[in-house]
């Protein structure tokens, strides 16, 4: 269940659920259940009535209604006008009270203010004086679209190195898995950036990481550059489960998960190597 009374707690629960590997549909259902539980605890205390009608925008959320029915063991009636009950009642009360309706034509300028007010600043703007702003210029920028996850957003690939058709040797990989975006970078032995990768997390951090890996593989093939990832690090809200993914053969204490992740990389055409006695836990 996702916390529904406080948006801050809800976000914390959502990020935790993502780190545990729950799917987007499971997380959405948990959020709907939390909202339904909150409604039941607030509205149905000591109420024995069997006939219940849902009103308001949430009435159109079928998942919430189903959870309310399961929690209360009652059938909830929802019709096509449930979301505008409030507006209908307001109009009916206005008519009963004899309120006069004045017809008038309104333009967009009557509803939206287009005047730009001058901003007042109480402190001088920040200026970069102690260092130089980093140069993010790339030799080439292109978009990569996944062939395995068609619903995911494309990956923006920034090539900072002109190296092509060679063995780049040992590289370092860094991945930042955030709640809104997922980024990765490849560094050479001189700690120079070879390529950067950016995509939207879209509430699916696991798939976002998979698409990033797919884009890295495509980058290697396009540039005809071979390399070995000798070191890797993760950060962001999805750092834990991503660390498990990229730490496979060293993570022997997670030996029961190795077959799963081996299949994961096989689908992305990555070759995985495990020791012969990998089924022996090493704590």
């Amino acid at each position: 269940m996702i916390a529904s009374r406080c948006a801050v707690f809800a976000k914390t629960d959502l990020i935790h659920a993502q780190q545990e590997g729950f799917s987007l549909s499971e997380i959405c259902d948990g959020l709907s259940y939390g909202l339904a539980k909150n409604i039941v605890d607030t509205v149905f205390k000591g109420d024995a009535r069997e006939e219940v009608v849902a009103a308001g925008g949430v009435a159109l959320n079928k998942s919430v209604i189903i959870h309310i029915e399961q929690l209360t063991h009652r059938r909830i009636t929802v019709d096509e006008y449930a979301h505008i009950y409030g507006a209908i009642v307001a109009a009916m009360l206005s008519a009963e009270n004899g309120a006069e309706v004045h017809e008038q034509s309104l333009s967009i300028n009557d509803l939206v203010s287009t005047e730009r007010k001058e901003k007042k600043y109480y402190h001088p703007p920040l200026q970069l004086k102690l260092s130089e702003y980093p140069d993010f210029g790339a030799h080439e920028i292109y978009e990569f679209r996944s062939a395995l996850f068609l619903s995911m957003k494309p990956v923006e690939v920034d090539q900072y190195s002109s190296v092509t058709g060679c063995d780049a040797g040992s590289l370092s990989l860094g991945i930042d898995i955030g709640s809104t975006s997922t980024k990765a970078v490849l560094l050479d032995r001189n700690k120079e950036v070879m390529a950067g990768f950016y995509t939207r997390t879209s509430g699916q951090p696991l798939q976002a990481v998979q698409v990033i890996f797919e884009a890295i593989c495509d980058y290697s093939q396009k540039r005809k550059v071979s390399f070995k990832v000798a070191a890797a690090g993760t950060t962001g809200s999805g750092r834990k489960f991503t660390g498990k993914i990229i730490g496979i053969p060293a993570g022997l204490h997670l030996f029961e998960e190795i077959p799963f992740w081996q299949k994961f990389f096989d689908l992305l055409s990555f070759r995985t190597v495990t020791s012969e006695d990998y089924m022996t836990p090493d704590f």
Side-chain angles (χ1 to χ4, degrees):
M1 183 178 72
I2 307 297
S4 58
R5 293 182 181 271
C6 174
V8 176
F9 291 153
K11 182 181 179 181
T12 301
D13 288 347
L14 291 172
I15 293 175
H16 179 72
Q18 287 180 343
Q19 290 194 20
E20 293 297 320
F22 287 97
S23 67
L24 181 61
S25 59
E26 290 173 326
I27 293 175
C28 290
D29 186 66
L31 187 60
S32 296
Y33 177 81
L35 181 57
K37 187 72 165 57
N38 187 21
I39 293 173
V40 171
D41 292 342
T42 304
V43 177
F44 289 87
K45 287 184 177 180
D47 194 329
R49 284 174 288 190
E50 293 297 328
E51 298 295 330
V52 180
V53 177
V58 179
L60 300 184
N61 189 320
K62 295 182 180 179
S63 179
V64 173
I65 297 301
I66 290 174
H67 283 302
I68 293 177
E69 290 180 332
Q70 292 174 344
L71 290 169
T72 61
H73 304 289
R74 304 178 191 182
R75 180 173 178 79
I76 309 297
T77 300
V78 180
D79 67 27
E80 58 181 322
Y81 300 111
H83 60 297
I84 56 173
Y85 277 166
I88 293 174
V89 173
M92 294 174 62
L93 290 175
S94 177
E96 291 177 2
N97 294 332
E100 296 183 5
V101 178
H102 301 282
E103 294 185 3
Q104 59 179 344
S105 59
L106 296 175
S107 67
I108 188 64
N109 293 328
D110 296 323
L111 302 175
V112 180
S113 175
T114 57
E115 180 183 356
R116 290 190 176 185
K117 296 182 179 180
E118 184 179 352
K119 293 183 179 181
K120 294 183 179 180
Y121 298 95
Y122 298 95
H123 300 281
L126 296 176
Q127 295 181 352
L128 190 63
K129 296 181 178 180
L130 301 179
S131 63
E132 295 182 357
Y133 192 76
D135 181 16
F136 291 105
H139 289 284
E140 182 183 353
I141 299 176
Y142 65 91
E143 283 191 349
F144 167 81
R145 291 189 175 274
S146 172
L148 302 176
F149 304 96
L150 303 180
S151 62
M152 294 297 291
K153 298 293 184 181
V155 178
E156 178 185 304
V157 181
D158 299 299
Q159 296 182 171
Y160 297 99
S161 172
S162 57
V163 173
T164 182
C166 67
D167 184 355
S170 298
L171 303 183
S172 299
L173 170 67
I175 307 179
D176 179 3
I177 310 92
S179 57
T180 59
S181 62
T182 298
K183 290 81 64 179
V185 65
L186 289 173
L187 301 179
D188 63 17
R189 284 169 288 188
N190 298 320
K191 298 183 180 180
E192 295 291 334
V193 178
M194 288 191 61
F197 306 84
Y198 171 92
T199 189
R200 305 288 293 182
T201 305
S202 301
Q204 303 180 81
L206 177 59
Q207 287 82 351
V209 172
Q210 289 175 305
V211 172
I212 288 286
F213 284 163
E214 192 180 353
I216 292 175
C217 184
D218 177 77
Y219 164 79
S220 174
Q221 294 174 353
K222 278 186 175 180
R223 303 292 296 180
K224 297 180 180 179
V225 175
S226 60
F227 55 83
K228 175 183 178 181
V229 177
T234 62
T235 186
S237 59
R239 62 191 179 279
K240 292 183 179 179
F241 77 84
T242 304
K244 295 178 182 178
I245 294 174
I246 66 176
I248 287 180
L252 295 182
H253 60 289
L254 300 174
F255 66 99
E256 72 278 2
E257 298 181 5
I258 287 182
F260 171 80
W261 294 119
Q262 189 169 23
K263 182 64 175 179
F264 171 91
F265 281 107
D266 287 343
L267 292 174
L268 294 177
S269 300
F270 282 90
R271 185 174 64 91
T272 59
V273 178
T274 57
S275 60
E276 295 181 359
D277 56 344
Y278 76 92
M279 290 305 292
T280 302
D282 181 15
F283 294 99

